[in-house]
Amino acid sequence: MVTNDFLGISKMNFLLETLQVIVMSIYYNMEAFVRLFIPPKNKNVTGEIVLITGAGSGIGRLMAEKFAPLGVSLVLWDINQEGVKETSRLVKEKGVTKVHYYLCDCSDKAEVYRVADQVKREVGDVSILINNAGIVTGRKFMDAPDSLIEKTFEVNTMAHFWTYKAFLPAMAANNHGHLVSIASSAGLIGVNGLADYCASKFAAIGFAESVALELLATGKDGVKTTIVCPYFINTGMFDGCNTKWPLLLPILDPDYVANKIIEAILTDQVYLLLPKTMYLIMGLKNIMPVKLGILLGMYLGAFNFMDAFKGRVKKVE
């Protein structure tokens, strides 16, 4: 009798939860459709403390400049002292009065923790963390020295662990904050000649997704997550890389990418893929037979992207 009652309750729970999923699926799809025509309002970030790693050049510098007029306090990290100092000067010219820059090697856990403690003492608790620092070796797997492979993971992946460990506790305690991972489309689809880079970006995306779920599961829905996956950006990091069909997969303009990232943060967008054709390519990847996927990769030039690579090897971006 008890067993029958238990089975009856389980069946009822299954039916109720299934119905809930169906109803909410319809609602969320309608919501997404409406947002195609009516974008969400930007949130107010005035007074937030924004930390950007790899802020000494490229997208990191541009994001700092885009945040400048939004009333935030900026904390800039980079391994290049002259670069981060110049970024600080540029944002001050745009009217930012609260800007702090620090020399930090994000591949060094001890240094990340040390500088993070210094930031907490001198500036306060970071509420928007942007993990942007990254490096690329640009070498085929068997040609890449072990030291460079390790460095790639230390900067592109492990640094995210250490910055989260340093700044997430305060965000979780306040149930307020934003974690931003500047990953790559190479973290979604493997690229010939970028084995270590792709692996490090796949790991960064998986880490960001998993922590986001942990936060939701513990009721910390006030801490938002944005994962950015752009195609190659014209910052010098991937100089020489080719794109076979520029209309489908253009080399991205840095200013455009920085604008889209800021927009994604201000609207709490979880995933940002650039260009928009990446959404289609990812959808196709997940439903196509493997051989067809390889054929599409050859058509898009995925086997030859890195043939003429001459970018900044082992350079923090």
Side-chain angles (χ1 to χ4, degrees):
M1 186 68 176
V2 173
T3 302
N4 289 337
D5 289 344
F6 177 76
L7 290 174
I9 293 171
S10 297
K11 185 176 180 181
M12 181 60 71
N13 287 340
F14 172 76
L15 292 173
L16 288 173
E17 290 190 26
T18 302
L19 179 61
Q20 181 185 35
V21 168
I22 292 171
V23 171
M24 294 308 296
S25 295
I26 295 171
Y27 171 79
Y28 290 142
N29 276 298
M30 290 177 62
E31 180 185 54
F33 179 76
V34 169
R35 285 192 171 184
L36 292 174
F37 306 97
I38 307 174
K41 292 182 180 179
N42 290 352
K43 65 183 179 183
N44 184 0
V45 294
T46 302
E48 303 284 2
I49 298 177
V50 181
L51 188 153
I52 305 172
T53 69
S57 62
I59 295 298
R61 174 176 290 175
L62 287 170
M63 285 190 291
E65 293 185 84
K66 305 295 181 186
F67 267 114
L70 300 181
V72 303
S73 296
L74 282 170
V75 179
L76 311 175
W77 284 13
D78 204 281
I79 197 171
N80 182 327
Q81 187 165 12
E82 289 305 312
V84 73
K85 185 177 181 180
E86 175 64 10
T87 302
S88 175
R89 185 189 68 79
L90 289 170
V91 296
K92 284 179 179 178
E93 285 183 354
K94 294 182 179 293
V96 176
T97 56
K98 297 179 180 178
V99 56
H100 310 262
Y101 66 88
Y102 299 85
L103 189 67
C104 184
D105 179 358
C106 290
S107 70
D108 185 334
K109 178 177 67 173
E111 186 165 334
V112 169
Y113 286 163
R114 178 184 62 77
V115 180
D117 286 340
Q118 188 178 353
V119 169
K120 293 173 194 175
R121 291 194 307 270
E122 298 177 357
V123 187
D125 289 324
V126 169
S127 53
I128 299 178
L129 170 63
I130 305 177
N131 277 306
N132 168 71
I135 62 171
V136 60
T137 65
R139 303 185 189 184
K140 292 189 181 297
F141 172 63
M142 294 304 295
D143 297 330
D146 292 355
S147 59
L148 284 185
I149 293 174
E150 290 172 347
K151 180 64 74 172
T152 297
F153 275 88
E154 287 166 357
V155 177
N156 295 359
T157 308
M158 297 311 300
H160 296 209
F161 283 69
W162 315 141
T163 56
Y164 271 40
K165 281 272 191 177
F167 299 113
L168 182 54
M171 295 187 199
N174 297 322
N175 195 22
H176 174 80
H178 205 130
L179 302 166
V180 184
S181 176
I182 308 301
S184 170
S185 61
L188 300 170
I189 301 175
V191 179
N192 176 37
L194 281 177
D196 56 346
Y197 183 80
C198 287
S200 70
K201 293 298 185 178
F202 266 88
I205 292 171
F207 170 68
E209 288 181 341
S210 184
V211 174
L213 292 176
E214 283 188 23
L215 290 167
L216 288 174
T218 53
K220 303 300 181 181
D221 57 352
V223 182
K224 308 300 182 182
T225 296
T226 294
I227 301 170
V228 183
C229 300
Y231 187 61
F232 295 144
I233 308 171
N234 187 23
T235 60
M237 192 172 181
F238 284 97
D239 272 357
C241 291
N242 298 313
T243 181
K244 187 176 179 181
W245 308 116
L247 289 177
L248 286 175
L249 289 172
I251 301 296
L252 297 168
D253 174 68
D255 196 65
Y256 166 77
V257 174
N259 279 326
K260 297 301 283 186
I261 293 171
I262 300 301
E263 180 183 311
I265 295 169
L266 295 180
T267 57
D268 292 333
Q269 183 176 340
V270 179
Y271 296 99
L272 173 64
L273 277 60
L274 297 170
K276 289 185 177 180
T277 48
M278 283 304 307
Y279 292 101
L280 174 61
I281 291 171
M282 278 305 301
L284 291 174
K285 177 195 174 187
N286 292 326
I287 62 173
M288 288 189 307
V290 173
K291 290 181 179 179
L292 183 55
I294 292 172
L295 179 64
L296 179 62
M298 293 173 68
Y299 169 74
L300 293 173
F303 286 75
N304 308 106
F305 284 145
M306 299 295 292
D307 285 357
F309 173 79
K310 54 183 180 181
R312 299 199 292 261
V313 177
K314 200 181 174 184
K315 167 71 176 181
V316 174
E317 183 64 2

